[in-house]
Amino acid sequence: MSALPWLNPTRVAALETALNERILILDGAMGTMLQRAQLDEEGFRGERFVVGSSCGPGCAHFGPHEHAEKDLKGNNDLLSLTQPQLIRDVHRQYLEAGADLIETNTFNSTAVSQADYALERVVYELNREGARLAHIECAAMEAMTPEQPRFVIGVLGPTSRTASLSPDVNNPGFRNIYFDGLVATYREAADGLIDGGADAIMVETIFDTLNAKAALFALDEVFAARGTRLPVMISGTITDRSGRTLSGQTAEAFWYSLRHAKPLSIGFNCALGAKDLRVHLDVLSEIADTFVSCHPNAGLPNAFGGYDETPEDMAAVLGEFAQAGLLNIVGGCCGTTPEHIAAIAAAVRGSVPRARATPAAYTRLAGLEPFVITPTTNFVNVGERTNVTGSAQFRKLIKEDRYDEALVVARQQVESGAQVIDINMDEGLLDAVAAMQRFLFLIASEPDIARVPVMIDSSKWEVIEAGLKCVQGKAIVNSISLKEGEAAFLAQARKVQRYGAAVVVMAFDETGQADTMQRKVEILTRAHDLLVNEVGFASEDIIFDPNVFAIATGIDEHNAYGIDFIEATRALKQRFPLAHVSGGVSNVSFSFRGNNLVREAIHAVFLYHAIAAGMDMGIVNAGALPIYDDLEPDLRERVEDVVMNRRSDGTERLIEAAERYKGKKGDVADNSAALAWREHSVGERLKHALVHGIDAYVEADTEEARLASTRPLDVIEGPLMAGMNVVGDLFGAGKMFLPQVVKSARVMKRAVAHLIPFIEEEKRRSGQVHRSNGKIVLATVKGDVHDIGKNIVGVVLRCNNFEVIDLGVMVAAQNILNAARAEKADIIGLSGLITPSLDEMAHVAKEMKRQGFTEPLLIGGATTSRAHTALKIAPHLTTPVAWVRTPRVQSASHNH
């Protein structure tokens, strides 16, 4: 939010002081209490809204007999105007029950929601009066107990529409509300709440994060227009036990998408009872550097739509939350009453409020799922194929309106290991704004694509802004620059921040693109300082693009383009270690277009040296890259001469060598000259296939290895594991990238799948089918979709007569523990490939301790050391733990 002065600094200080001293009590359900009044249509209309008035539709008359054509029964917000004393009575009952925070009766007081009653014209008044009534009661109670201040929380509800999802299942690209429309309706409502005397604004019951982003954007605009601001609170809704919002986000992704607003609090309410909210609240408590709130329903709805959880039962659960250090604010939602609030207040009284988390300064992006870039994250692959300027295939699909097929391209990028997908629609004959919006809307309906963050890529600001209005997660803007001067740069940067995105900054200023190392560093240093000091960007949300230019062009001035990028990268990472360096890798080889083998060799060499210098992100088709160590030595030497500008005749020597590779395909599996590996031993062939992701021969080679082995398991523990160990070593050394590892994993899966029937037959023949050494529940933890290590361990354990319950990937902690209990498991096994999985494993261990599990815990992962794992997980354990570094899993069959 804008760094403006507080509207009521004394009230804000009092609120923050109270939050630091104790757990504050939020009120309970308004609707539940109003239902007790059993108002009929006439009761909702009151004396003001009558049927058949001479004032026609669209009447702006606000007199005692205002026209209202539609039925108004059920419009609880309208009671602030027609039954104000009833609303005040409900507020007073919650205050008497111990509430510190009173929410205004404005949940549906937006033009979008009031359109159902044709009462859009009274939206501002509903909000103003809703806040005013709450203020009257809070002031009266505070006057009686001045030692306990009471605060009015102005409520902005979610509206009845969703900007991220289509209401028409047959048309996923359709929307019945757009970002700008939401901003307008929230602005009107916010003005009323502020004028009515709200102490803070809560955007609550968020089922679509894009709606919430529109509300936060509107609030920022309102505050900017007024020159002052109020604290902002955010409360989302996990809609069911899937653990996601209605629009598909996890709790962690939800927070990262909204963290830019710097809210007073973040939390969850509604939909679930307290017990089911705990796991999600635990996630927020661990990562949120602000206060955390929780106001759940009184259990789940019964068959009649009512709520059965008693005040005592609900208070017992929330009391445990408080004792566990999860809460700063607690109250109730649907089905709760003053009796519930009184019991909750008593249960948390004396509990120490949660200490705000102090997360490390990492880049935290989000699609439907979080993506955190840490110092141990390997090179971040930004998929380049959904870019009309870089992919002729994608451009053709978009221009021919074949968006369904274009989605397949995006899906393939994610399946191949892209951690972010770059989307660019800058083509002269396209309406780039419309194309960007349509494609992003379609992606939102595809969870397997939308799970990763997007990079909105355009040279046109209007296209970038249109894209930002379509994305609920935390995206990356590619790019802004100083090309048009500081004023334009700062204006765009502030907009990017208001939309909640990270930003790529090009090395481009008023005098042109930077083409030397010194100019790259100078421009990007200036841009960084402006972003951090003038706009308030976090350094970790800044991504430098020092300009990747074509080398070996024959122009002497271009000879240093490769090394200048690399050295600029080194200097920038030394100055700004929290920021990132990216670039469009394919640009560097443009001089050799048409010669794919040479181009890919240039990419591999350039990336190898740039990554060593600090480049940690890039737009690249990594799955098509050769492995640096596998390049033909003469070609590699000549490419390095050009990339590193080591010889004056480097370009001529590379052009000479390139002639030998013209017309040859880049895929070693299809290159007849590269099939010499087929002459090696079967073990070496399997290793080669795994390292290079070649599956054409794997089943035949696996069968040959099986026939030469004593047991089928020997093939897994021998040549297959040897190959995967090489993959792991190359990945750890930065010579392989995640998309290449994914290809290797697919080869491994095919090999293992071929062996499984033989392994089962061996067990049957040996009479071991019914003899069990124990039962293990295995899962890849939440946030990680990689399962190769888990699957290998599962096979090995089955071979050793363990019963394996495989829960799959992306499994939440509580689901793992529930399965372990239901299956009466002897061991719990957790797997993960990416570094953030370690935090989730630590969370599972913590929950095991809290919930009294005594079973051993088996930890497996490819990228984290045993020592690091021990430091993370050991403090949470009271049970034995074993470490398995996949793919080096041979010891698993002996340790258990």
Side-chain angles (χ1 to χ4, degrees), residues 499-541:
Y499 285 109
V503 67
V504 175
V505 185
M506 291 289 293
F508 205 139
D509 69 1
E510 297 89 340
T511 62
Q513 281 186 295
D515 58 358
T516 66
M517 180 268 196
Q518 292 77 13
R519 283 262 296 148
K520 293 173 191 287
V521 174
E522 173 192 331
I523 293 171
L524 293 173
T525 296
R526 177 184 168 204
H528 179 277
D529 291 346
L530 286 169
L531 288 171
V532 171
N533 299 326
E534 297 292 327
V535 182
F537 254 88
S539 187
E540 60 267 25
D541 281 340

Side-chain angles (χ1 to χ4, degrees), residues 104 178 200 247 288 310 446 451 587 606 624 646 784:
T104 57
Y178 295 92
S247 57
T310 66
E446 301 286 341
R451 68 180 181 82
N587 294 346
F606 176 78
R646 296 190 302 206
D784 200 326

Side-chain angles (χ1 to χ4, degrees), residues 75-94:
N75 188 354
N76 289 342
D77 294 27
L78 189 63
L79 298 176
S80 295
L81 305 182
T82 61
Q83 301 286 349
Q85 191 56 51
L86 177 59
I87 302 303
R88 287 180 59 180
D89 289 345
V90 173
H91 289 327
R92 187 182 308 112
Q93 290 179 63
Y94 281 121

